[in-house]
């Protein structure tokens, strides 16, 4: 079943949205957005759209390996397995800017597996989106609890 | 050229034709994100200065091309796979915001 990009991001962002709405209703609007260094859900949707050109994004074909709890948000190990992908992008939904890296794979790139280390300002969902060989898009996501935030927060 | 920037690459020296090898790369770079408040300048941040691109090529053909954003950790690390069709040379290139370009190269023998 195809999950459209919109519903896939909504499913992923539900946790963030519920928390934000709770804060807004309890306090004035200005205090609710005082925290800074956080990505509103509209911005992450726009960032993913910029990568996919607005195409539908399905789930299930790519994987992400990341710790459930990151002690230090400055160095969070992450690996992505995207067999058959041409391009890959990593996003976070609660960082100062959503996009973290984009990978372009050449013919000799074997399994399209890549590992790196990222900065996370606070607990958030890391979302990876891959453009597959046939031009379709796949996504996977992981929620990472961050104990001490990175990004100079 | 930024100070003390040193690339390191770890990969096998030989392989059979068609083998998939794992390549680990790291470069010492502070990856100043541009988000950290400047202690000497209230209200502004320390300007961004990062490695923004990393590429790996084999015998001139691109294997992986990475665009890095400020949220990649300091000392950017990438581990990835490559299939090795024949003996040759991997070249690795890192591009710094300040215009510097750092390179490393490793040869591999197909036995």
């Amino acid at each position: 079943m195809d999950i459209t990009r919109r519903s896939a991001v909504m499913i992923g962002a539900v946790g963030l949205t519920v928390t934000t709405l709770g804060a807004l209703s309890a306090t004035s609007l200005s205090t609710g957005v005082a925290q800074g260094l956080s990505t509103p859900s509209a911005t992450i949707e726009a960032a993913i759209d910029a990568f996919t050109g607005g195409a539908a994004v399905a789930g299930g074909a790519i994987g992400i390996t990341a710790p459930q709890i990151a002690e230090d948000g400055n160095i969070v190990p992450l690996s992505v397995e995207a067999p058959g992908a041409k391009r890959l992008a990593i996003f976070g939904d609660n960082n100062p800017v959503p996009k973290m890296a984009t990978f372009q794979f050449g013919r000799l790139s074997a399994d399209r597996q890549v590992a790196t280390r990222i900065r996370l300002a606070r607990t958030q969902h890391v979302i990876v989106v891959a453009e597959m060989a046939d031009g379709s898009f796949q996504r996977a996501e992981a929620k990472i609890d961050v104990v001490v935030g990175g990004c100079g927060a | 050229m930024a100070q003390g920037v040193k690339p390191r690459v770890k990969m096998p020296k030989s392989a059979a034709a068609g083998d998939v090898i794992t390549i680990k790369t790291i470069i010492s770079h502070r990856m100043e994100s541009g988000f950290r408040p400047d202690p000497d300048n209230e209200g502004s941040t320390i300007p961004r200065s990062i490695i923004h691109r990393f590429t790996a090529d084999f015998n001139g053909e691109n294997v992986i091309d990475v665009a890095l954003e400020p949220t990649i950790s300091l000392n950017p690390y990438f581990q990835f796979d490559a299939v090795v069709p024949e003996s040759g040379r991997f070249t690795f290139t890192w591009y710094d915001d300040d215009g510097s370009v750092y390179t490393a190269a490793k040869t591999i023998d197909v036995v």
Side-chain angles (χ1 to χ4, degrees):
Chain A
M1 180 189 103
D2 258 8
I3 305 169
T4 66
R5 172 216 41 85
R6 184 169 290 280
S7 59
V9 172
M10 275 305 152
I11 291 163
V14 137
L16 171 68
T17 316
V18 165
T19 318
T20 314
L21 287 174
L24 286 175
S25 61
T27 64
S28 75
L29 197 64
S30 59
T31 334
V33 296
Q35 293 313 305
L37 290 187
S38 101
T39 303
S41 54
T43 312
I44 186 144
E45 282 187 34
I48 293 176
D49 266 352
F51 180 73
T52 63
V57 185
I62 68 176
I64 180 173
T65 305
Q68 287 190 305
I69 300 173
E71 294 294 328
D72 179 1
N74 282 298
I75 284 206
V76 182
L78 184 88
S79 92
V80 185
E81 304 83 41
K86 291 193 291 201
R87 294 190 301 150
L88 184 71
I90 305 177
F91 302 93
D93 68 2
N94 213 350
N95 256 358
V97 287
K99 190 155 67 168
M100 303 209 230
T102 314
F103 303 81
Q104 187 105 22
F105 298 108
R107 178 184 68 99
L108 297 175
S109 201
D111 334 333
R112 272 56 172 179
Q113 170 277 127
V114 63
T116 186
R117 303 177 315 197
I118 58 175
R119 288 171 165 151
L120 297 178
R122 53 173 58 78
T123 294
Q124 63 191 280
H125 299 88
V126 173
I127 299 160
V128 297
V129 182
E131 180 181 356
M132 311 309 285
D134 64 358
S136 65
F137 288 89
Q138 285 280 331
R139 83 189 287 275
E141 89 173 41
K143 177 163 181 252
I144 304 180
D145 283 317
V146 174
V147 177
V148 177
C151 284
Chain B
M1 169 111 31
Q3 297 289 43
V5 179
K6 195 177 151 67
R8 285 205 319 274
V9 176
K10 189 166 170 178
M11 54 170 263
K13 293 189 174 57
S14 63
D19 269 1
V20 171
I21 63 165
T22 296
I23 301 176
K24 299 181 187 190
T25 69
I26 193 166
I27 187 164
S28 53
H29 193 285
R30 58 182 311 154
M31 296 290 281
E32 191 60 66
S33 66
F35 302 126
R36 290 200 304 151
D38 188 338
D40 306 321
N41 229 322
E42 190 110 17
S44 60
T45 60
I46 301 171
R48 163 184 153 155
S49 189
I50 66 168
I51 297 284
H52 61 260
R53 187 173 177 213
F54 165 70
T55 61
D57 298 293
F58 178 69
N59 288 346
E61 180 178 349
N62 184 249
V63 177
I64 194 169
D65 192 336
V66 189
L68 292 77
E69 306 293 335
T71 45
I72 293 292
S73 299
L74 101 162
N75 302 340
Y77 170 81
F78 293 107
Q79 178 198 299
F80 53 96
D81 294 341
V83 65
V84 185
E86 61 201 0
S87 296
R89 188 176 154 96
F90 279 93
T91 53
F92 306 93
T93 314
W94 292 260
Y95 299 84
D96 198 323
D97 276 351
D98 71 3
S100 311
V101 178
Y102 313 100
T103 60
K106 290 270 187 184
T107 53
I108 187 163
D109 288 320
V110 161
V111 295

